[in-house]
Amino acid sequence: MTLTQDAPARAAMAKRPAQQASLVLQGADATGIVAAVTSVLSRHGANIVSLDQYSDNPHGGAFFQRTVFGLDGLQAALPALRADLDEHLVDAFGLSYTLRDLSVPKRVAIFASKSDHCLLDLLWRHRQGQLPVTVAMVISNHPDVAEEVRSFGIPFFHVPCQGADKSAAEAEHLRLLKGNVDFVVLARYMQILSGDFIEDVGIPIINIHHSFLPAFIGAGPYAKAKERGVKLVGATAHYVTQDLDEGPIIEQDVVRVTHAHSATDLTRRGADVERAVLSRAVLWHAEDRVMRDGNHTIVFA
């Protein structure tokens, strides 16, 4: 190839954005952590795009940091970069970290029941490119949403789940999920997951529920809220633990209502909040913006 042919190719390469990765770390706060991170990345030719950090106490408290950086030839560079991080972050400071190529989206399975507003909102946002995930499948204990899900080109699996013994259904869930997804979203899935399932699946599970819990437990929460004259309706997205609805909170929001709103109005407004809160939680998890610290979360939104 001649020099004149080479120049346009070099110019095109120069304009191509570098591949991006996220580096998320946490541990005990100490002097020099940020300098160590930037030094390691600099040695490997990485360009930091964004850096967020938080310390709950600068004098020996817990430290959290999320860094996004660009690096040409990222995949080939990852092994050497991990070895350098092990030496200068893990060995030197006792930190734990995750390093992920952001060009590879996380794979998610969505669980749903008959209520479809959260499910269809996530599928629509995914189709519009607003959620950087691969929706591997939708699983439901009812067949009602099958055709709508398939219209998005997403595999749908109907797994009935009835009665007190859910072992057969959960065994099928595990068969479908194992090795195929990185996290699960419960998009108004109206079944309680067993502790054994939560432990066996071994990946994060995100749930959405109205914020009336535990005051309005059971069926018809918005009708109960109307009877009590509530002034706010809201929603909470959280990680699932074996303690029902007590996992680390990712996102919450509310809207104001008045005495003039009917139970139907409350239900509609509640559904709007649920969609928004769940989509933000899924986005932030997909982009490695949520860090868990016991039953607490740090969210670099």
Side-chain angles (χ1 to χ4, degrees):
M1 185 177 289
T2 66
L3 182 62
T4 55
Q5 290 172 318
D6 246 352
R10 286 198 304 270
M13 288 292 290
K15 292 179 180 178
R16 188 180 65 187
Q19 296 164 289
Q20 291 192 353
S22 66
L23 171 63
V24 178
L25 60 92
Q26 65 186 90
D29 199 358
T31 301
I33 293 177
V34 176
V37 171
T38 55
S39 295
V40 169
L41 294 179
S42 177
R43 278 198 299 275
H44 290 264
N47 180 48
I48 294 176
V49 177
S50 66
L51 189 154
D52 296 288
Q53 67 185 69
Y54 169 71
S55 174
D56 63 8
N57 185 342
H59 304 290
F63 178 84
F64 308 87
Q65 181 175 301
R66 175 184 182 268
T67 305
V68 175
F69 63 89
L71 178 61
D72 289 325
L74 177 63
Q75 279 294 328
L78 285 177
L81 183 55
R82 286 196 175 95
D84 212 352
L85 291 168
D86 287 343
E87 178 182 353
H88 292 91
L89 294 181
V90 179
D91 296 342
F93 292 96
L95 300 170
S96 62
Y97 75 88
T98 59
L99 176 64
R100 191 173 70 88
D101 182 350
L102 290 175
S103 71
V104 181
K106 293 182 179 180
R107 303 163 298 170
V108 60
I110 304 175
F111 280 43
S113 292
K114 289 186 176 183
S115 180
D116 62 4
H117 59 284
C118 285
L119 166 66
L120 296 181
D121 181 74
L122 290 175
L123 296 182
W124 182 85
R125 290 177 190 271
H126 173 257
R127 186 169 65 184
Q128 296 300 310
Q130 297 178 15
L131 294 177
V133 297
T134 296
V135 181
M137 65 189 78
V138 171
I139 298 173
S140 179
N141 58 322
H142 296 283
D144 304 51
V145 295
E147 291 307 312
E148 289 180 286
V149 170
R150 290 172 179 146
S151 72
F152 285 89
I154 304 296
F156 176 85
F157 298 95
H158 174 219
V159 181
C161 188
Q162 297 176 344
D165 184 2
K166 301 177 183 178
S167 57
E170 292 193 339
E172 177 63 8
H173 292 156
L174 289 172
R175 187 190 71 80
L176 291 168
L177 298 175
K178 281 291 188 178
N180 294 319
V181 298
D182 302 300
F183 70 110
V184 172
V185 173
L186 307 181
R188 293 302 305 274
Y189 181 63
M190 305 306 290
Q191 296 290 321
I192 297 175
L193 304 180
S194 72
D196 288 341
F197 174 82
I198 294 169
E199 182 176 354
D200 291 343
V201 73
I203 53 177
I205 304 172
I206 297 174
N207 188 32
I208 183 72
H209 64 65
H210 54 77
S211 288
F212 300 129
L213 292 172
F216 301 105
I217 298 173
Y222 290 101
K224 296 174 184 176
K226 171 63 178 176
E227 292 172 3
R228 288 285 299 275
V230 300
K231 301 300 182 283
L232 295 171
V233 296
T236 297
H238 65 92
Y239 289 113
V240 173
T241 64
Q242 296 193 26
D243 297 318
L244 182 63
D245 293 326
E246 294 186 13
I249 294 171
I250 305 171
E251 172 64 338
Q252 295 176 295
D253 206 352
V254 295
V255 292
R256 183 164 292 280
V257 296
T258 75
H259 61 276
H261 290 111
S262 65
T264 300
D265 294 330
L266 266 59
T267 302
R268 174 178 54 80
R269 290 187 171 224
D272 288 344
V273 179
E274 289 169 9
R275 283 192 289 260
V277 167
L278 183 59
S279 67
R280 290 197 292 266
V282 172
L283 174 64
W284 295 341
H285 179 85
E287 294 183 337
D288 302 322
R289 295 180 180 275
V290 186
M291 305 177 69
R292 294 176 63 167
D293 181 29
N295 208 43
H296 182 63
T297 58
I298 290 82
V299 182
F300 293 121

